[in-house]
Amino acid sequence: AQRVTQPEKLLSVFKGAPVELKCNYSYSGSPELFWYVQYSRQRLQLLLRHISRESIKGFTADLNKGETSFHLKKPFAQEEDSAMYYCAPHKSQGNLIFGKGTKLSVKP
Amino acid sequence: DTGVSQDPRHKITKRGQNVTFRCDPISEHNRLYWYRQTLGQGPEFLTYFQNEAQLEKSRLLSDRFSAERPKGSFSTLEIQRTEQGDSAMYLCASSSIPARDFDTEAFFGQGTRLTVV
């Protein structure tokens, strides 16, 4: 069965602090991994995908196949990072499922 | 606006009534997804289409729910005999058929907020 676990519903940090949003997945085969973000009153949108090895808005994500984890990290959080973050494993042949999300709150 | 659009944005209905929502995907996208999102939860998958074919339905999609995409373009989601538990945000997303797994990016609409009173 496909399952995505984001253990923290809420993560609250101060501006400038490091942040790590955890994601563990259970998925048949080897899915591609994505993080989506939803800022207040905006649409859900793609933040980054693992394959690109990119840093978007200072965020990176490390895939650990042994632990089946795909944690999202940023060394210095900014207030504008406050949003809901969703981990999403996906295979091209299947549907797209999401974790329950982690609400990141960055305090000034 | 060339993004995914959903109509209506808000719907208030009495319990037992039928409601229908519409989603217009990005025009060249073959895939269309429906999700339900309640407060504090992530989007829960309901169903998805590839062109006009409905390829997968979640167990969440009870007999009262039906989705169509008759010409492979826009889609409708109908809920019959609505219940208070159906109150949620209904999200639509579209994507192209990826050549490779990492090509997938889903583009979301603003959602339709349903309130059943």
Side-chain angles (χ1 to χ4, degrees):
Chain A
Q2 303 166 9
R3 191 164 58 227
V4 183
T5 303
Q6 294 182 247
E8 304 124 336
K9 289 192 72 172
L10 173 65
L11 188 60
S12 185
V13 301
F14 286 101
K15 177 183 172 181
V19 63
E20 181 180 50
L21 291 83
K22 292 183 168 58
C23 171
N24 290 87
Y25 63 94
S26 172
Y27 208 102
S28 58
S30 297
E32 187 50 47
L33 278 302
F34 301 82
W35 277 96
Y36 281 75
V37 61
Q38 189 168 24
Y39 301 103
S40 179
R41 298 178 183 172
Q42 293 189 27
R43 305 177 187 213
L44 194 57
Q45 59 187 290
L46 179 67
L47 177 62
L48 59 77
R49 63 194 86 192
H50 166 252
I51 193 71
S52 302
R53 301 286 196 275
E54 57 199 348
S55 174
I56 303 294
K57 300 184 178 182
F59 284 97
T60 58
D62 295 328
L63 175 62
N64 185 320
K65 289 188 177 181
E67 296 180 359
T68 59
S69 68
F70 188 54
H71 302 329
L72 185 68
K73 300 178 183 180
K74 184 169 182 176
F76 307 105
Q78 302 300 314
E79 290 180 67
E80 55 266 29
D81 296 329
S82 296
M84 285 293 299
Y85 290 82
Y86 298 97
C87 179
H90 189 220
K91 285 187 71 65
S92 59
Q93 299 88 357
N95 68 50
L96 177 60
I97 63 169
F98 292 85
K100 292 186 184 297
T102 297
K103 182 176 182 178
L104 175 63
S105 175
V106 182
K107 299 178 180 178
Chain B
D1 184 1
T2 56
V4 178
S5 63
Q6 293 186 243
D7 183 70
R9 294 286 306 277
H10 304 274
K11 178 71 176 179
I12 300 174
T13 191
K14 291 184 177 180
R15 190 174 54 186
Q17 297 294 304
N18 299 345
V19 294
T20 300
F21 310 142
R22 177 180 170 122
C23 172
D24 286 273
I26 292 171
S27 60
E28 63 268 24
H29 283 180
N30 308 92
R31 284 192 175 169
L32 187 147
Y33 305 83
W34 283 101
Y35 295 87
R36 182 174 68 188
Q37 188 174 28
T38 52
L39 198 61
Q41 300 293 317
E44 296 174 294
F45 170 76
L46 294 178
T47 188
Y48 91 97
F49 293 84
Q50 185 162 300
N51 300 312
E52 64 274 12
Q54 189 172 17
L55 293 190
E56 189 170 342
K57 293 195 294 185
S58 164
R59 286 172 295 176
L60 291 175
L61 215 63
S62 75
D63 293 345
R64 296 184 298 104
F65 287 71
S66 62
E68 294 182 345
R69 195 182 183 199
K71 297 181 180 179
S73 56
F74 74 91
S75 175
T76 57
L77 178 68
E78 181 183 17
I79 309 174
Q80 296 181 325
R81 303 181 303 281
T82 51
E83 302 172 356
Q84 286 188 320
D86 297 331
S87 295
M89 177 75 83
Y90 289 84
L91 297 173
C92 176
S94 70
S95 71
S96 54
I97 297 176
R100 296 156 295 188
D101 286 341
F102 58 82
D103 286 342
T104 302
E105 177 179 352
F107 293 82
F108 281 80
Q110 296 272 41
T112 294
R113 181 169 295 284
L114 173 66
T115 303
V116 182
V117 297

